[in-house]
Structures are given as C-alpha cells and as structure tokens.
Amino acid sequence: MAISLAQSTLFSKTSLFLRSSCNGLNRLTFCVPFSSGSSLSTKKKWKPPVASVLELGGVKIAKGDVVRDDPTNNVPDIIFAKLGMQLHRRKQHPIGILKNAIFEYFDANYPNKFDTFDDLCPIVSVKQNFDDVLVPADHVSRSFNDTYYIDSQTVLRCHTSAHQAELLRGGHTHFLVTGDVYRRDSIDSTHYPVFHQMEGVCVFSPEDWEASGVDGTDYAAQDLKKCLEGLARHLFGAVEMRWIDTYFPFTNPSYELEIYFQDKWLEVLGCGVTEQEILKRSGKLDNVAWAFGLGLERLAMVLFDIPDIRLFWSTDERFTSQFSQGQLGVKFKPFSKYPPCYKDMSFWISESFTENNLCEVVRGVAGDLVEEVSLIDNFTNKKGMTSQCYRIAYRSMERSLTDEEINDLQWQVRDQVQNKLNVVLR
C-alpha cells in the first residue's frame, strides 16, 4: 500500500504507499493499467487508454485520454502537461537518484528477490485506485475535491497502491512499485499536485514463519521493521529511529518510522502487515504480507536540501547541473532568491466552495509562478454569510517577475475565481 508522506494525505495522516523490465527506449509500451476494468456500480463501462510510445524523458499520452468532454472530468491542462514526464526514471534527477539508491539497497540485501516496476501507466480504474485497497465507499479521498477524475470510472492514480492487487493476482510476491501520483492539493513549498511514491510488498508462506515460534502476523511485522531500519540507515546513515503505532485501512498492525535527523524527528514512511482481505481477494488465503510506502519528494528535499517542491520540475541548468547519477545527498546550492509578491483576495463563499478548488484555479492561471495560497482571514456576518481572504504569493524560482505580469495574473485569477467558484468578490 503506498503510504506516502510527501504530500497532503489521502487518509488522516500518512496516505497510501516501480524498476521495470521495460528498459528499452525505442520499443512500444502500452500505457494501460494492469486491470482490464472490472464492472463497477456505475453506468459507463470503464475503458483502458490507448497504447503509448516510450520516449527518452517520458511517455506520450494522448490528451483525449485524459482531458475529456465528460461531466465528471476535472483534469486541467496543467496537470495533463505533467503526465508521462516520469522524473523517477531520470538517472541524474534527484527523484531518480533516490529511487535507484533504494533499489540498490534491496538488490544488495535481497538479491534477485524483488521485482521492480517504474513504468506503469498512471491512468487507472476507480476499482484499482480505491476498492482494491479497501478505501471505504464514503471516504473523502474519493471526492472530486481530492482526486482527478477522467470519467466516473477512471482516475489519475492517487497512489502506487493502485497496481498492488493486479500484481498480487499476477503471481508477484516481492515487488517495488515507483510512479508519479496525482492529487488535488494545497499550494505551498512542500505540496504539489503531482509527486512520486514508492511502495514495497513482501508475501510470506506458512513455511516461512512456522519454525520461528511466532505467528504469521508477528513474523511479518518483525521482518518489516528489520528491512526498513536497514533502508533508513542506507539512506541517512547511523541515525536514531523510533516506531509509532498508527492506523491505515489496508494494514493491521500499522506503523510509521521516524528518524532523528538534523536535530529533529522526521517521518520517513508508513507501513504495516497487509489486511488479510486484500490477500484473500488476490487468491492468497494462507499467506501474510507486509507493505511499506514513502514519498520520494519528501525524502529528496531532506537529503538534497531542496527548499521548494516546484524545483523538481525545473529545467533550468542551474538546478539540473547540480546532480549526477549515483550521487545521493549532494546538497543543493540556491542559485537565486527572487522576492515574492503578495496579493490578497477576499470574497463571500458559497456552500460549494473548497480551498482545493481555489488552488486549482490559481494554479491553472499562474502555474509554477504561484508559491503559496494561504487563508489569512475568515468571518461570518450576522446574516450568516461567510467571507474568506486568501493571500497569494507569486514568485519565480528562476527570474524576477515584473509588476505588470503579476497584476495581470492576479486579475485573471480574480476573474476565474468569480466565474468558476460561485463566489462574490469583495
């Protein structure tokens, strides 16, 4: 289960948790989920997307497969533009460097044991994304406010766990899955609507634990902690660690691993013993398993001293030239620090207003020129009308913004907020 710590959570705290045999850059790969699309309790039958060509630097995905004239579609152009870029497959990029460092740990400590996948298509069915990992039908993560829907039965995956059930049913018992994931989210230096996760799954048979003197659940939990403590030392060195009991709907028991790094406790990942129902549905009635998940951006920002999550998407050579294949933990040297420009916007909200929708509008206008959107004032008058004031920080990571272009952005934001969000500007 992909339990990511990189972004705002799919669940109350940490959220849900790939090296592929497909390494050739010139061969065809099919950008389809593993599932052929089980029927769901909705009217339209889910259809997989068309084939795509794997290219250097990313995967081509047709716009019509993502941005559609469908009443449930909420994928904006700015998100479509990120699809297929696959930062985790770039060997000289911080995300790719970190991914490969984790692969190296598993290769060294579990030789030829874990299958690795990092090119699975991010377009998946609702069943894959939610039902297969036991996300409750009424959970907030299923809402259009939190998830990018292509149509009523198809989404951009919120977590790499969307591929877990099919991998288990396909006979894989030890695997790592890495990929880009998508969530409608707030705007600040540590949150971005596209980020990258890695999950690991390990399945045990009765003969694995029967001689140990403990039951399968305890055996899996002990093995999980040993594996992940070793991974933490591989990435961070000889650090102090602690385990925190927590809750996830897809593992029981569930844990978070924290390390004491740079004079503070840092959450590294979430993990646990897989719920038996998930294994049962995958035909593994007598097995137990563990799963872990981590957010690559969160760890890369710490290991490389990267202060703003937007930088991972920069093509500026002053950023990209600082990192080399295999060089884990090279400290980023800021090449500029341009001043932010703040613009405030107040409006009377409606019942349908959400902050995520506001951030989508602002991001759709300003893209990566918006650094943060924060609520600075909120009050309700005697008539029961609620007013909110948001402060928008505009700042480029690569150049100074002019007053003219900032003012133009702000007027566009105001116009679209009023037209799309059913609010009354003040």
Side-chain angles (χ1 to χ4, degrees), residues 1-4 10-11 15-18 124 127-130 132-133 135 157-167 175 177 181 183 197-201 250 278 291-293:
M1 325 292 122
I3 304 174
S4 166
L10 179 62
F11 295 98
S15 162
L16 299 187
F17 327 135
L18 303 157
V124 299
K127 179 179 183 296
Q128 289 173 291
N129 198 70
F130 296 119
D132 284 350
V133 287
V135 178
R157 64 184 172 207
C158 299
H159 43 251
T160 47
S161 299
H163 305 287
Q164 185 186 112
E166 292 293 342
L167 287 170
F175 54 87
V177 182
V181 298
R183 295 186 202 160
Q197 287 186 339
M198 179 185 291
E199 97 172 45
V201 173
F250 33 74
I278 293 175
F292 76 85

Side-chain angles (χ1 to χ4, degrees), residues 224-241:
L224 170 67
K225 291 183 177 181
K226 178 181 177 182
C227 172
L228 297 181
E229 287 173 0
L231 176 60
R233 285 191 291 269
H234 176 71
L235 297 177
F236 294 94
V239 292
E240 184 181 354
M241 306 179 204

Side-chain angles (χ1 to χ4, degrees), residues 212-284:
S212 67
V214 298
D215 65 19
T217 298
D218 287 341
Y219 181 86
Q222 292 173 16
D223 187 86
L224 170 67
K225 291 183 177 181
K226 178 181 177 182
C227 172
L228 297 181
E229 287 173 0
L231 176 60
R233 285 191 291 269
H234 176 71
L235 297 177
F236 294 94
V239 292
E240 184 181 354
M241 306 179 204
R242 66 185 183 188
W243 290 97
I244 308 295
D245 292 335
T246 189
Y247 165 77
F248 303 113
F250 33 74
T251 55
N252 184 27
S254 302
Y255 314 100
E256 290 171 352
L257 175 61
E258 295 185 351
I259 64 170
Y260 196 70
F261 187 72
Q262 295 179 346
D263 299 322
K264 61 183 178 181
W265 286 102
L266 171 72
E267 289 180 79
V268 176
L269 50 80
C271 62
V273 179
T274 306
E275 282 283 2
Q276 286 302 118
E277 180 62 22
I278 293 175
L279 296 175
K280 179 181 176 181
R281 293 181 184 182
S282 301
K284 295 177 168 34

Side-chain angles (χ1 to χ4, degrees), residues 89-157:
R89 301 191 71 205
R90 303 183 184 188
K91 295 180 180 180
Q92 293 183 313
H93 191 282
I95 299 297
I97 294 169
L98 175 57
K99 180 203 74 172
N100 287 330
I102 298 173
F103 282 170
E104 288 167 5
Y105 168 78
F106 280 92
D107 288 343
N109 291 275
Y110 305 90
N112 302 315
K113 194 169 187 179
F114 279 81
D115 300 323
T116 54
F117 303 88
D118 69 356
D119 64 349
L120 304 185
C121 185
I123 302 173
V124 299
S125 69
V126 168
K127 179 179 183 296
Q128 289 173 291
N129 198 70
F130 296 119
D131 300 335
D132 284 350
V133 287
L134 309 183
V135 178
D138 60 350
H139 197 277
V140 65
S141 64
R142 292 178 181 256
S143 74
F144 292 93
N145 187 60
D146 285 45
T147 295
Y148 289 110
Y149 278 80
I150 294 173
D151 57 41
S152 62
Q153 296 188 56
T154 316
V155 298
L156 298 180
R157 64 184 172 207

